[in-house]
Amino acid sequence: MNITELLAGLQAEHDQTADRAGELRGQIEQLTAASAETEARLADLATTRKVITELAPAQEDSEPAGSTTAYQAIVNAFIQHPSQAFRARELHELLGMPTDEATVNITRSRLGRLVRQGFLIQPGRGSYQKRT
C-alpha cells in the first residue's frame, strides 16, 4: 500500500466518521428539545397538583368512604396499584361498585377521559393502567 492509498483510505474513514458525528449531533438536538418539553410538562403538572391540593378542602380520615366521587375512587385505585392493569368490570369489583352493564359503561367513559388527560394508558384493548 502506498501513501496515496493510505491517505485516500484515511480521508474516506474521516468522511464517514464526520457524517456519523453530524447524525449524532442531530439526534442530540432532537432529544434535548424533547427533554426540555417533557421537563416543562412535568413542572406544569407539579404546579397544577400543588394548586389543586392547596385549593381542595382538606379531607379527614373519618370521612366515610361512600362520600368520595367515582373519579376519586377510580384514581385512588390506580394510585394504590400503579403497575396493575384493570378492565372496567375488574375495577368495579375491586371498588365494590355495581357491575351492571350501564354502570360499567359509564366507568369505561371515565377511564377514556383519564387516558385522554394523560393519567392512564391503555396497555391493551379494554385495559387501563396508571401512566408511570
Side-chain angles (χ1 to χ4, degrees), residues 74-86 91 94-95 120 128-130:
I74 291 168
V75 168
N76 288 340
F78 282 102
I79 289 172
Q80 291 172 357
H81 307 281
S83 62
Q84 185 173 351
F86 290 102
L91 196 58
L94 174 75
L95 298 173
L120 299 178
Y128 301 87
Q129 185 174 7
K130 184 177 183 307

Side-chain angles (χ1 to χ4, degrees), residues 23-67:
E23 291 171 7
L24 292 173
R25 281 187 210 98
Q27 289 177 0
I28 289 170
E29 289 174 9
Q30 289 175 343
L31 290 172
T32 300
S35 176
E37 289 174 14
T38 302
E39 292 295 335
R41 179 71 175 147
L42 282 173
D44 290 346
L45 290 170
T47 301
T48 302
R49 181 182 297 167
K50 181 180 178 185
V51 169
I52 290 172
T53 300
E54 289 173 357
L55 294 176
Q59 294 183 358
E60 297 182 18
D61 291 339
S62 61
E63 187 176 324
S67 67

